[in-house]
Amino acid sequence: MLSIIEKNIKIKIISFLFLGSAIIAALFSLYNYNITKEHLVKKLENAADEHVNRISQNLIIPLWEIDSDWITKTIDTELVEEELVAVSVSGEGGVYVARKQDSSKQIQSFTSFSNEEGIFLERIRPIVHNNEEIGNVTIYFTREVLDKRLLDEARKIVTVVVVLVLFSIISLYLILDYFILHPLGKILTIVNNTSKNDYTKEIEITQEDEIGRLAKGFNEMIHNILDKEELMISQSRQAAMGEMISMIAHQWRQPITVISMGANNMIMDIELENMKEEEVRKYSEMILQQTLHLSKTIDDFRNFFSPNKEKTIVLINDILKDSLEVIGKSLENNNVAVEKAFHSTTPVTIHSRELLQVYLNIIKNAKEALLENNIKDKSISIETNEDENNIYTIICDNGKGIPKGIITKVFDPYFSTKSNKNGTGLGLYMSKTIVLKHLHGELYVKNQDEGGACFTIKIPKDAQKQKEGEYGE
């Protein structure tokens, strides 16, 4: 129960309102009870004075004539009053009459009161005839009369207080809910979405109080994050363009060399007047083949840079193959072997070019780590597999791994491990951003026990369903 209260601000507020109202109600009831008690005591005292004065007047003649029956009837008539419990009369000549009501309202004679009967109030008045005191009368009130009236008044007070407390709690809650809880709920929803990298919505609160200023400040922060992210994306694309040009150079070097050699051979044959039709055809077909290879390279890189706004149904393995088409020649020229184990067979609906960029970033980083650490037999292993809900791509190298002190920072913006200062520090940051925000998956890294780093990309098979599950849309 306590854990539920701790986690829900509405329950907290209702609890605080109830507790506060209960304390105030208790204090108010106690104060009102004391005031009522004083009022009732005063009222009973006045009633006692009236009773004793009236009885003393009514008993003058009966007592003067020493008529016990008359005295008894007069007393019994007065005992009809609810608050009056007992009356005793004493006079000259040993006259003594005492009458009281029992619990069943029966009137009977008595000699004295016991402590258990709890006399609360008594009044004594002399009975005077012709300026001569001929006796006295005593009337009695027990606490039962006061307690009964206090109980009736307490019930009324409690009923009124409960109604007022409930009305106050409901009114205060509705006010708090409208001005505080409901706006806070909106803020919490957007904050939860933002924590899951969903920056597509703003907090729609127009009030001008502290909560409104909080919402406005949060919206401004989101805009600043998006502006900063756009700047990082732009910087990352510029860096990627430079890297792609370098890869194009690797891809084109061999075809251009072959074309150059074929052209030179044809020129030499012409100068030596040794040109044969078969040789011309051979060199021409070789040049045409290399030209097609150059054209395919241009298409590969143009596809990489072309916007991919629509999701397509693709196999993860095909995206990896496209990645290796782009970077494969660079790996080959740097003597980096690639080991492939593609076991995934389920197509997914995603932004394929964005995943391609992630793969290229990770493979390129692995290559550069191997070169920088002068690994002798350089190799990169790429494996895909899947379970019921996700497809996994594991890309590992056989280098020295990432130092423990910085492995948690490799996905931070502008953080680079490259000692030659050619790194922008944006590649892995943008890769993680793409995987989290656009592909709704996960990207994490760990070192292998035998050496080298392993990057794992987890992509949900149903990205839209995964997104809805995360954001509660």
Side-chain angles (χ1 to χ4, degrees), residues 96-189:
Y96 180 80
V97 178
R99 304 284 285 174
K100 73 172 182 178
Q101 293 186 81
D102 59 17
S103 57
S104 61
K105 300 300 181 181
Q106 298 296 318
I107 298 174
Q108 58 187 354
S109 299
F110 73 97
T111 56
S112 64
F113 275 109
S114 64
N115 293 332
E116 288 77 11
E117 290 179 285
I119 296 302
F120 161 66
L121 183 65
E122 67 178 79
R123 286 288 188 271
I124 302 176
R125 287 288 184 276
I127 300 173
V128 180
H129 180 68
N130 294 329
N131 297 322
E132 179 183 352
E133 183 175 331
I134 60 175
N136 59 67
V137 59
T138 305
I139 64 173
Y140 303 90
F141 290 78
T142 61
R143 181 164 295 278
E144 182 182 357
V145 175
L146 177 63
D147 291 344
K148 182 179 179 182
R149 293 193 178 184
L150 282 176
L151 182 60
D152 291 339
E153 292 297 324
R155 288 195 182 105
K156 295 177 184 178
I157 293 170
V158 169
T159 301
V160 172
V161 168
V162 168
V163 172
L164 289 175
V165 166
L166 290 176
F167 178 77
S168 300
I169 290 175
I170 293 172
S171 299
L172 287 172
Y173 176 77
L174 291 176
I175 293 171
L176 288 172
D177 183 66
Y178 183 80
F179 290 105
I180 297 178
L181 296 179
H182 186 64
L184 282 179
K186 288 184 177 180
I187 293 174
L188 181 61
T189 299

Side-chain angles (χ1 to χ4, degrees), residues 236-245 247-248 296-309 319 322-327 351-362 364 431 434:
S236 178
R237 285 174 179 168
Q238 291 174 3
M241 288 179 68
E243 293 164 356
M244 289 302 104
I245 290 173
M247 292 181 188
I248 290 173
K296 182 178 183 300
T297 302
I298 291 173
D299 289 338
D300 289 339
F301 284 92
R302 182 176 61 192
N303 289 336
F304 173 74
F305 284 110
S306 64
N308 181 215
K309 296 182 180 179
I319 301 175
D322 291 342
S323 303
L324 293 174
E325 284 289 334
V326 173
I327 200 172
H351 298 285
S352 59
R353 292 300 160 194
E354 293 185 344
L355 183 56
L356 175 64
Q357 182 178 350
V358 172
Y359 286 152
L360 286 175
N361 280 335
I362 295 174
K364 179 179 69 67
S431 295
I434 289 171

Side-chain angles (χ1 to χ4, degrees), residues 49-300:
D49 291 336
E50 292 176 3
H51 279 301
V52 76
N53 289 334
R54 185 174 64 250
I55 294 173
S56 65
Q57 291 295 320
N58 292 337
L59 289 175
I60 292 175
I61 302 302
L63 189 60
W64 174 257
E65 296 183 359
I66 312 177
D67 189 337
S68 297
D69 292 337
W70 192 357
I71 293 172
T72 300
K73 289 179 180 180
T74 302
I75 293 173
D76 289 351
T77 301
E78 292 293 334
L79 285 175
V80 174
E81 298 291 338
E82 180 183 5
E83 61 267 15
L84 187 60
V85 176
V87 178
S88 65
V89 177
S90 61
E92 295 179 355
V95 175
Y96 180 80
V97 178
R99 304 284 285 174
K100 73 172 182 178
Q101 293 186 81
D102 59 17
S103 57
S104 61
K105 300 300 181 181
Q106 298 296 318
I107 298 174
Q108 58 187 354
S109 299
F110 73 97
T111 56
S112 64
F113 275 109
S114 64
N115 293 332
E116 288 77 11
E117 290 179 285
I119 296 302
F120 161 66
L121 183 65
E122 67 178 79
R123 286 288 188 271
I124 302 176
R125 287 288 184 276
I127 300 173
V128 180
H129 180 68
N130 294 329
N131 297 322
E132 179 183 352
E133 183 175 331
I134 60 175
N136 59 67
V137 59
T138 305
I139 64 173
Y140 303 90
F141 290 78
T142 61
R143 181 164 295 278
E144 182 182 357
V145 175
L146 177 63
D147 291 344
K148 182 179 179 182
R149 293 193 178 184
L150 282 176
L151 182 60
D152 291 339
E153 292 297 324
R155 288 195 182 105
K156 295 177 184 178
I157 293 170
V158 169
T159 301
V160 172
V161 168
V162 168
V163 172
L164 289 175
V165 166
L166 290 176
F167 178 77
S168 300
I169 290 175
I170 293 172
S171 299
L172 287 172
Y173 176 77
L174 291 176
I175 293 171
L176 288 172
D177 183 66
Y178 183 80
F179 290 105
I180 297 178
L181 296 179
H182 186 64
L184 282 179
K186 288 184 177 180
I187 293 174
L188 181 61
T189 299
I190 301 302
V191 168
N192 285 336
N193 291 349
T194 303
S195 69
K196 297 169 183 174
N197 298 290
D198 179 12
Y199 301 100
T200 59
K201 296 179 181 178
E202 293 185 357
I203 302 173
E204 297 178 356
I205 295 178
T206 57
Q207 58 197 67
E208 298 296 330
D209 56 10
E210 288 82 356
I211 291 181
R213 291 195 292 273
L214 173 64
K216 183 179 179 182
F218 188 84
N219 289 337
E220 290 176 355
M221 182 187 72
I222 294 299
H223 291 156
N224 291 335
I225 291 174
L226 291 175
D227 291 342
K228 183 179 179 181
E229 190 172 281
E230 286 298 322
L231 176 61
M232 290 181 178
I233 291 174
S234 177
Q235 292 174 338
S236 178
R237 285 174 179 168
Q238 291 174 3
M241 288 179 68
E243 293 164 356
M244 289 302 104
I245 290 173
S246 174
M247 292 181 188
I248 290 173
H250 281 291
Q251 294 279 38
W252 278 12
R253 183 173 288 115
Q254 182 177 349
I256 291 174
T257 301
V258 173
I259 291 172
S260 177
M261 288 178 58
N264 283 331
N265 288 338
M266 291 176 67
I267 292 172
M268 289 292 295
D269 287 342
I270 291 172
E271 290 180 354
L272 295 173
E273 297 181 353
N274 192 26
M275 179 61 68
K276 297 179 181 178
E277 183 178 349
E278 292 80 7
E279 293 293 327
V280 172
R281 182 180 298 277
K282 173 185 174 183
Y283 291 136
S284 297
E285 288 178 353
M286 181 179 63
I287 291 172
L288 180 60
Q289 183 180 1
Q290 296 303 319
T291 303
L292 291 174
H293 181 70
L294 293 175
S295 177
K296 182 178 183 300
T297 302
I298 291 173
D299 289 338
D300 289 339

Side-chain angles (χ1 to χ4, degrees), residues 316-317 320 341-346 348 355 359 382-395 441-444 455-461:
I316 295 294
N317 299 343
L320 279 168
F342 296 164
H343 305 297
S344 172
T345 59
T346 303
V348 290
L355 183 56
Y359 286 152
I382 304 175
E383 178 185 352
T384 63
N385 52 61
E386 60 183 82
D387 58 22
E388 183 179 354
N389 299 314
N390 304 290
I391 297 176
Y392 302 87
T393 305
I394 301 98
I395 301 175
E442 296 179 31
L443 171 59
Y444 45 89
F455 286 82
T456 300
I457 302 103
K458 182 175 77 171
I459 304 298
K461 291 182 177 180

Side-chain angles (χ1 to χ4, degrees), residues 400-416:
K400 295 183 178 180
I402 303 172
K404 291 183 178 179
I406 63 172
I407 193 168
T408 58
K409 301 178 181 179
V410 295
F411 296 112
D412 293 348
Y414 301 113
F415 181 83
S416 177

